[in-house]
Amino acid sequence: MKSAVVTFPASNCNRDMFDALEKITGKTPYQIWHQDSEIPDVDLIALPGGFSFGDYLRCGAMAARSPAIKAIALHAERGGNITVSYTHLRAHETVLD
């Protein structure tokens, strides 16, 4: 399985995600910076958790406008797999909301 890990400013655990995917798949994932507008042909795109998904500085809003998001959306539209790590849920938040 070919994979890629996307890093945004204020991402957290992106290195952990990279290491886990490498260990699980036996292949080195691509490292994608949020300003990259193209993502290689991969089976899975991993979005590590962290403050890029929302905090009081509006990092999530900034991440939503990153060039990589368009490539991630295109990957999803084509049926590609995406995983998101929620590492900073507050006590009242759930993944299923």
Side-chain angles (χ1 to χ4, degrees):
M1 177 174 69
K2 297 181 292 181
S3 62
V5 177
V6 182
T7 301
F8 295 90
S11 285
N12 188 357
C13 301
N14 50 311
R15 185 65 201 175
D16 294 337
M17 180 78 74
F18 182 89
D19 291 343
L21 285 170
E22 187 171 39
K23 186 173 186 177
I24 291 167
T25 67
K27 297 180 182 176
T28 303
Y30 292 95
Q31 292 183 351
I32 308 298
W33 181 238
H34 74 107
Q35 290 294 329
D36 294 342
S37 59
E38 294 183 18
I39 294 177
D41 182 29
V42 295
D43 303 304
L44 173 70
I45 296 174
L47 301 173
F51 301 108
S52 60
F53 294 110
D55 71 357
Y56 300 109
L57 299 176
R58 305 280 298 143
C59 296
M62 290 184 276
R65 290 165 178 76
S66 294
I69 290 295
K70 291 179 184 173
I72 293 166
L74 184 58
H75 176 80
E77 288 172 9
R78 288 187 242 162
N81 296 302
I82 297 173
T83 185
V84 178
S85 169
Y86 292 93
T87 57
H88 291 287
L89 290 177
R90 295 179 188 93
H92 65 279
E93 296 175 319
T94 67
V95 176
L96 300 176
D97 281 349

